[in-house]
Amino acid sequence: MFKKIFFVTALLLASLLSAKPVVIASIAPVGYLAKAVGGDKIEVQSLAKGDVHSYEPKPNDMKAVAKASLFIAAGLEFEEAWIPRFKASAKNLVVVQSDAKIAKLKEEHAGHADHDEEHGEHKAKDDKHSGHAEHSAKDKHADHKAKDDKHSGHSGHAKHDEKHEAHEEHDEEHEAHADPHVWLNPMLAITMARNISDALIDMDKANKDFYLKNFQKLMNDLLAFDESAKNELAGLKNRKFVVYHPAWGYFAKHYDLEQISIERNGKEPKIDEMASTVKMIKDENIKVIFADPNRSQKSAQVLASQTGAKVELLDPLGYNLLENLKIAVRAIKDANSPK
């Protein structure tokens, strides 16, 4: 009997010791970034699916959060209301903002701001040449002295980050209307992944080299995609594309495109706004209206019927971010290429 109890206890202890840290991502594309960096060292679950603007956690979501070690936020509206409750249900939960150090566009002007994303892109480009690029898993100089500094492996960005503090403080005034869809710009996705890498290293210092190696692979994949996307979109003469929900502002600005939204400030367009959009679509000879599969497609279908355009889907919340960005590039290129 004693041997049986000992054996069962040993199995339970082994199971506990081998359990992977649970990481909760607020949305699927952030979960993708976390998994790409964390690999098989972590268990990742994503919360909000569908229309994140109306998301409320289900009981199973709350159970998952209660077991989690890390919550990765992305600057979404629902997080402000729910993160305090998540922390109350999981006393040791660490919350990291994956969108930290990224200046935001205002959602109602998404795709038209002239400098807001420059900071995030510049930092991501710096990563290619310094910071993470100098701190690969083989880097013998990354020894976590200085009390395992949160940004160990990223110290090359410290001075650069300080230069943008004033800019970020200015942007906080507009946070209530900020466009949160930063992950749809691959350069800003690199910044998000770097923030996630920092958090995973803080949580699990023993696997620092593993996380850095995975980050570098993800960064290289996103940089390669970015170069390819710029080449694919370079020759487009008509650089406008019509969407229902203005989720693609960072993507549009990065690739010198113009996003035109049917939805206005989160609401269905009024009759006069629909009329002006119909005229614009006809005048600009736009052949495709991109609808969001997570939201109503009624207005997009109405516009299509009145203009002869067709409706296609672009999902800003698809899990496989890299593949989703490739789909968007191909779709917008095809929609704006002469037939």
Side-chain angles (χ1 to χ4, degrees), residues 179-239:
D179 180 355
H181 303 88
V182 291
W183 58 89
L184 296 174
N185 174 340
M187 305 307 288
L188 301 184
I190 289 173
T191 300
M192 297 176 80
R194 181 165 53 81
N195 290 334
I196 292 169
S197 176
D198 280 340
L200 292 177
I201 290 170
D202 268 359
M203 180 184 69
D204 180 19
K205 295 178 178 64
N207 287 306
K208 173 186 174 180
D209 289 348
F210 178 84
Y211 298 133
L212 289 177
K213 182 179 179 180
N214 286 350
F215 168 81
Q216 291 219 334
K217 181 183 184 306
L218 175 60
M219 179 180 70
N220 291 338
D221 288 345
L222 286 166
L223 288 170
F225 158 76
D226 184 54
E227 191 68 25
S228 173
K230 286 178 178 176
N231 290 335
E232 281 199 63
L233 296 171
L236 292 182
K237 292 183 178 179
N238 185 356
R239 306 192 71 81

Side-chain angles (χ1 to χ4, degrees), residues 24 40 44 53 72-73 84-85 104 110 131 171 179 207 216 247 255 262 301 306 317 322 326 331-332:
I24 303 293
D40 61 4
V44 179
H53 296 275
I72 304 176
R85 304 185 202 185
K104 304 292 180 64
D171 282 312
D179 180 355
N207 287 306
Q216 291 219 334
Y255 293 113
I262 298 171
Q301 295 291 353
Q306 294 179 358
L317 293 168
L322 186 57
K326 291 177 182 178
I332 292 171

Side-chain angles (χ1 to χ4, degrees), residues 21-206:
V22 175
V23 175
I24 303 293
S26 64
I27 53 173
V30 173
Y32 171 85
L33 295 175
K35 190 62 178 177
V37 175
D40 61 4
K41 302 296 183 186
I42 61 173
E43 179 184 338
V44 179
Q45 296 184 42
S46 303
L47 290 186
K49 300 174 179 65
D51 185 358
V52 299
H53 296 275
S54 59
Y55 169 77
E56 288 192 9
K58 297 177 181 177
N60 285 343
D61 294 336
M62 295 301 294
K63 288 179 182 178
V65 170
K67 298 177 183 178
S69 301
L70 188 66
F71 182 89
I72 304 176
L76 296 161
E77 187 177 355
F78 80 84
E79 296 168 356
E80 186 176 347
W82 283 100
I83 284 177
R85 304 185 202 185
F86 293 157
K87 293 180 76 172
S89 68
K91 300 297 183 182
N92 297 319
L93 184 69
V94 174
V95 176
V96 59
Q97 290 294 149
S98 63
D99 61 323
K101 305 298 181 182
I102 296 177
K104 304 292 180 64
L105 299 174
K106 291 182 69 176
E107 190 161 32
E108 58 267 38
H109 297 130
H112 300 284
D114 55 10
H115 72 279
D116 286 348
E117 98 182 45
E118 178 182 348
H119 164 55
E121 285 193 50
H122 184 51
K123 283 189 6 175
K125 290 174 183 174
D126 283 350
D127 276 329
K128 185 178 180 181
H129 305 292
S130 63
H132 263 300
E134 294 175 3
H135 292 270
S136 69
K138 298 178 182 179
D139 190 346
K140 295 180 181 179
H141 298 289
D143 59 2
H144 263 299
K145 62 183 180 178
K147 300 181 182 179
D148 291 309
D149 190 334
K150 177 180 180 181
H151 295 286
S152 180
H154 313 293
S155 57
H157 298 282
K159 292 182 180 179
H160 183 81
D161 290 345
E162 290 171 2
K163 293 178 182 179
H164 294 276
E165 287 178 357
H167 182 78
E168 289 160 9
E169 288 172 3
H170 174 72
D171 282 312
E172 285 175 3
E173 299 173 12
H174 306 291
E175 201 66 25
H177 301 289
D179 180 355
H181 303 88
V182 291
W183 58 89
L184 296 174
N185 174 340
M187 305 307 288
L188 301 184
I190 289 173
T191 300
M192 297 176 80
R194 181 165 53 81
N195 290 334
I196 292 169
S197 176
D198 280 340
L200 292 177
I201 290 170
D202 268 359
M203 180 184 69
D204 180 19
K205 295 178 178 64

Side-chain angles (χ1 to χ4, degrees), residues 236 332-339:
L236 292 182
I332 292 171
K333 179 183 177 181
D334 289 347
N336 288 285
S337 298
K339 303 299 180 186

